[in-house]
Amino acid sequence: MMEHALGGAPALGEQAEAALRPHLEWADTVFVDWCTNAAALFTLVDPGTTRIVVRLHSYEAFTLWPHLVAWDRVDDLVFVGDHLRDLAVACLPPLAEPDGPALHVIANAMDLERFRREKTGADARFTVGLIGAGVVAKDPRWAVEVLRLLREHDERYRLVVIGDGLDRKASPAARAYDDLLRKDLAELEPTGAVRLLGRTEDVPEALTGVGVILSSSVRESFHCGLVEGAASGALPVVRDWPFFAGKEHGARTLFPADWVVATPREAADRVLALTATEEKWRKATADAAEHALTTWDWPVIAPGFDRLLLKG
């Protein structure tokens, strides 16, 4: 692709033209979700009158793909958060050019109503949930540190991890991190302090036993799992994602200020204060669920996609 952009590799352009022209001819708008190889391929050819809409998530911002996109052939670029838009604009000078795409921020499309279920079990209030920890950026060891602080106060607190574990093949750094995490788990699992649920197709059901939902990540574009947990009636506790902390936009501008904490100690203090009694916990989680459903549920977000995709 780089060679083609520099005037070589004509066969690649011919192949892209043959593969994509039929779609460009019948479609009024092409929506490319994830700014990876498909986005780069579509902009290898002239879209003509067809609108090209690309959505860029957090993952792609740290890859080569956005740098291979011909942005003068993209009409609209969508982000799921203001902080990610700021990062992309800083890294991709063509976005600021007069012939660059129009930039939009629209939250992820989520069906949150299905997560609203009654909590089960007397220990839900003391169960901290973490959804997805498959990459180092999720920093599950930060969640473990929060758990340790909670258990210093009350050993009823435990951590439930929903989703796959770390991919040890990703890099030597990932293996080194996972080695440390495994030591933590080897100490805590036998006591019942940590439970690894693994991947499940029914996250709403798994969340019925979770009373606190944690975002321990160093960076996120949005963190759907956190919002799903909040919609389920779990108390949201969001680390002030270090990659964006201190910048104009980040976790503190995406979520209500009282959801966001800077340190494991602040996270533990929030949990202890708002789970101290059943009444406090019920009130805090009801407020969080109401905010999630009225801010990010599909009926709220859908008009933004309609305006973007159906305009003209």
Side-chain angles (χ1 to χ4, degrees):
M1 289 183 179
M2 294 172 69
E3 184 180 357
H4 178 77
L6 294 172
L12 176 63
E14 293 168 2
Q15 291 169 0
E17 172 72 25
L20 300 178
R21 182 56 55 192
H23 303 293
L24 292 167
E25 286 185 349
W26 74 259
D28 298 308
T29 298
V30 172
F31 178 60
V32 185
D33 201 12
W34 299 90
C35 184
T36 56
N37 55 346
L41 280 169
F42 262 104
T43 61
L44 282 181
V45 301
D46 185 349
T49 59
T50 303
R51 285 180 62 226
I52 303 293
V53 181
V54 176
R55 184 162 68 159
L56 190 152
H57 302 253
S58 178
Y59 156 75
E60 312 95 280
F62 298 90
T63 70
L64 59 85
W65 294 113
H67 301 277
L68 293 181
V69 173
W71 290 109
D72 58 343
R73 289 182 167 176
V74 175
D75 296 277
D76 299 271
L77 178 59
V78 183
F79 306 94
V80 296
D82 293 297
H83 58 294
L84 193 61
R85 177 202 58 204
D86 296 348
L87 173 64
V89 170
C91 295
L92 297 165
L95 296 185
E97 294 295 328
D99 59 354
L103 307 183
H104 311 268
V105 175
I106 306 176
N108 270 306
M110 294 182 290
D111 176 13
L112 295 178
E113 188 65 38
R114 66 195 179 99
F115 287 88
R116 209 158 41 163
R117 302 186 187 181
E118 188 65 29
K119 296 296 179 184
T120 59
D123 59 348
R125 175 161 55 108
F126 302 97
T127 301
V128 180
L130 188 64
I131 300 178
V135 293
V136 174
K138 299 291 185 180
D139 201 4
R141 296 195 72 221
W142 196 88
V144 170
E145 179 60 23
V146 174
L147 177 69
R148 293 186 191 278
L149 293 171
L150 291 172
R151 287 177 65 81
E152 287 177 5
H153 179 84
D154 190 330
E155 291 193 350
R156 286 179 293 178
Y157 288 101
R158 63 177 185 151
L159 177 67
V160 170
V161 182
I162 303 169
D164 294 331
L166 286 173
D167 179 6
R168 292 179 61 82
K169 297 179 181 179
S171 68
R175 287 193 297 276
Y177 183 98
D178 195 43
D179 287 341
L180 296 173
L181 178 61
R182 290 186 179 201
K183 289 182 180 179
D184 292 332
L185 299 179
E187 174 191 345
L188 294 168
E189 274 192 283
T191 68
V194 174
R195 184 182 174 200
L196 304 178
L197 290 185
R199 179 180 292 273
T200 176
E201 297 301 320
D202 193 351
V203 176
E205 177 60 27
L207 284 171
T208 59
V210 171
V212 178
I213 188 70
L214 190 63
S215 175
S216 59
S217 306
V218 296
R219 59 175 172 83
E220 290 280 353
S221 61
F222 184 79
H223 208 169
C224 292
L226 182 281
V227 172
E228 291 167 353
S232 81
L235 175 71
V237 181
V238 184
R239 182 184 186 181
D240 191 7
W241 304 323
F243 193 89
F244 298 104
K247 295 182 171 61
E248 182 179 0
H249 298 106
R252 292 187 182 278
T253 54
L254 181 59
F255 300 116
D258 61 327
W259 290 19
V260 184
V261 297
T263 65
R265 179 74 267 172
E266 287 184 17
D269 288 345
R270 173 169 166 79
V271 174
L272 292 172
L274 295 176
T275 62
T277 66
E278 182 84 11
E279 182 180 8
K280 283 186 176 181
W281 173 64
R282 292 284 182 185
K283 173 65 168 61
T285 55
D287 290 346
E290 179 68 14
H291 180 83
L293 288 160
T294 57
T295 305
W296 299 298
D297 198 17
W298 176 240
V300 180
I301 300 302
F305 280 99
D306 288 343
R307 287 190 295 270
L308 171 70
L309 298 174
L310 303 180
K311 71 179 182 181

